[in-house]
Amino acid sequence: MHKTQGTSFIRLHAPWQVLSREAEFLKIKVPTIKSYELKEERGFSGVMSALGRKINQPFQPKVPHLNSNSRTKFLSHSFSRDKLHLYNILQKDTFFDNATRSRIVYEILRRTSCTRTCQTTGITTLIAKGVYDCAFPLHDGDFKTTGEEEQRNDRQLLHDEWARYRAFYKYQPVDLIRKYFGEKIGLYFAWLGVYTQLLIPASIVGVIVFFYGYATMETNVPSMEMCDRRQNFTMCPLCDGACDYWHLSTACDTSRASHLFDNPATVFFAVFMSLWAALFMEHWKRRQISLNHSWDLMALEEEEEHPRPQYESTLIQKRQRRSKRQKTESGPGKLTWRDRLPGYIINISSILFMFGLTFSAVFGIIVYRITTSAIMAMSPDPETKSNVRVTVTATAVIINLLVILILDEIYGAIAVWLTELEIPKTEKEFEERLILKAFLLKFMNAYAPIFYVAFFKGRFAGRPGDYVYVFNGYRMEECAPGGCLIELCIQLSIIMLGKQLIQNNIFEIGVPKLKKLYRTLKERGADPKDTDNQQAREPQRWDLDYDLEPFEGLAPEYMEMIIQFGFVSLFVASFPLAPLFALLNNIIEIRLDAKKFVTELRRPDAVRAKDIGIWYNILGGIGKFSVIINAFVISFTSDFIPRLVYQYMYSETGTMHGFIDHTLSYFNVSNFKPGSAPNASQYDREVLLCRYKDYREPPWSPEAYQFSKQYWSVLAARLGFVILFQNLVMFLSMLVDWMIPDMPKNISERLKKEKTMMVDVFLREEKEKIQLIHSLFTKDGAGKAQGDARPLLQQQRQQAQNSGDGGPRTRCRAASFSQFSRQTPQSPSVRHTAV
């Protein structure tokens, strides 16, 4: 025990006997002395593999065991103290790596009961009760390299080859990450690497789509018609009273910018990204199985988890209440749904309240846009009037981003509190319920304003002479003349980039620095005597690690990537550059997370896991949901379907000429309601008719201002496209899933070969045991067998005692003779002894 600054440190060390016993109990797989050579590819595939390895060589991190080109694969088997001769034990101190040793020690601490009371089990309960402040494994020394590169420890290797920004172009040393931090963290960074890698082709295709829109901007007929001043489309006022009539040609820039994202290539890109999401899921499944095979996780079983401290304390309170009522000691029980009912009621009501809060925030932004637009439209400054839409859109999105960031932090804390109220029994249950709540709340918070712009804005505004009003005469806002897609693009890009820049990067860098500064200032105000003692002694490894930030789980890391995956896949039809920005962010994010794990966090407990858990199901749900969302964005938000309908049903020349005039309806200004017509007009001549964007009958029609036949034709085409797009993409996704097997062929072949080889090893060993026993009891009669067996048994016992030593070790062939008692002749002179 070491004491400094009033804090006591207890260092724990597990000797070989404890490690070997617990490794057998936990069924930890370790390499054996049996090995085989990996099959080398030949022919064209071999040439391509060799070429790929040569191309990738500069991108590989300089980690010694990763750069070895050995094609020898050692078989792995669950550790057993009875089969020490199967394992390549050169030194007991290094046979189990540090991550495995820390996991073993943590398992012992987790299940150890308190000696003074039977009501406390495990270190987690003691920490929850304040008996201990924390428990953590130590880092492997300092992360700064001081000696030669060949003598670097694992932490220094990770810092130099992984946690530096200058290594952004290199692959991640996933095997070393797993060795140092454990399988669960290793799988997270492997998943993040696969996701980032597959963003490269998506980014390339998105940039091509963007440049296609830029290249065809000058030849786009609808934009040319909208920008043509000779067309002289006189549009109806944008607000009541203060707003004047205006020419459609003044919205030329908006129309041209909208074509960058609203063009025929966008449909192709939406289909491509839907298939990309399916391909990403399949690729990750194969990568995950390859890692499971490489990390010996294929046969990993679900370990029985101990109850959480909060669950135990609640259960103890329930027993005490029951014992007081019954005046007898109640035995062990469990919490029922009646015990959790108050927590469930609070959960449901709180989640509904937070949904209402999110919608209220969106509605508040809508009110801000409506009122600000009306106020700016009344301004006497013509420049202010001309920039109304741009100013209102930009400021509203920035305010919306700030609200999202604030609510994100609030929702994260509330999700933890609500999950605690449910009293989950195990950490796994707690983590899954917390993830679902946090994802649901943060998903609604991030995407509610985007859904409004995509599917609701401008659809309930009404028409001239019959507008929808809110808040004492304010008209509901309408889409820009070029459509709502450009506003959706602006909304999506600012929220996505803002969250990545502010929340994911600045918060991750700034918050730990501020916490460290706070702890430093707090330590300076500690007892001067303890401070002097600390300064007189050089800080040890446990002192330095204690000053680091505690590891709080992978949920925040996964959450920000899952939300980003939603930005990339859900509304990608409106923003083809989303994969590119996600790629640039992830390149920084990987190194930022790496630096945080290596230099700023305490070393986490090594946790075994064979998959990424519930996050995979969430990814699959977002991928399927994205197909529906993109279908509706293309059909109802963009002008893709109206253009097709016009070109093939109403255009006399089969071209897009006349499309703008076709989409604009007529309104007789004499039908304005009192007070809604312009107070003063700058037009020299009197305006009799104005135009507005909609498919309605003209004022001279018997069914004036009713939806026209063109409206129903476009609506039918839109609904038909949604059904066609959804079924086509779903079919192609299922085809991709069917064509790509979950398990790579080479892994399947290796598993069969390793299973056969391990069976041969144990069969050979059993055969040798049987032959040895047979030779003992069949040699020249029972008396001679008894006389010869004892020295042989003594020799085998001596070999078994020396089997774990660091020096030369002979193969142990002795076994428990009682195992074969039914197959050997019974003799009163024979003693069945377990060796």
Side-chain angles (χ1 to χ4, degrees), residues 625-642:
F625 190 46
S626 68
V627 177
I628 302 173
I629 294 299
N630 282 306
F632 276 93
V633 167
I634 295 172
S635 295
F636 289 91
T637 310
S638 75
D639 282 339
F640 177 75
I641 298 301

Side-chain angles (χ1 to χ4, degrees), residues 409-517:
E409 301 301 319
I410 296 175
Y411 288 166
I414 292 178
V416 175
W417 175 67
L418 291 177
T419 310
E420 293 281 2
L421 292 178
E422 292 185 10
I423 322 174
K425 183 176 182 180
T426 63
E427 286 294 339
K428 184 177 180 181
E429 291 182 12
F430 178 84
E431 184 179 6
E432 289 183 349
R433 295 184 185 188
L434 174 61
I435 288 170
L436 283 176
K437 288 184 186 62
F439 171 74
L440 189 61
L441 294 175
K442 294 189 176 185
F443 183 88
M444 289 295 297
N445 183 39
Y447 293 106
I450 300 175
F451 271 91
Y452 164 73
V453 175
F455 303 121
F456 297 100
K457 184 179 178 180
R459 309 205 179 271
F460 308 102
R463 58 169 180 82
D466 189 21
Y467 284 115
V468 177
Y469 293 89
V470 294
F471 292 109
N472 196 20
Y474 289 107
R475 272 169 45 180
M476 283 292 292
E477 58 179 346
E478 303 175 62
C479 291
C484 276
L485 195 68
I486 186 63
E487 296 187 41
L488 177 61
C489 173
I490 295 173
Q491 184 98 2
L492 181 65
S493 58
I494 292 180
I495 292 178
M496 178 182 178
L497 296 177
K499 278 182 64 67
Q500 291 181 350
L501 180 63
I502 299 174
Q503 191 175 43
N504 299 354
N505 293 327
I506 294 179
F507 281 8
E508 289 191 12
I509 297 174
V511 173
K513 299 287 185 185
L514 293 176
K515 288 183 178 179
K516 190 173 182 180
L517 178 62

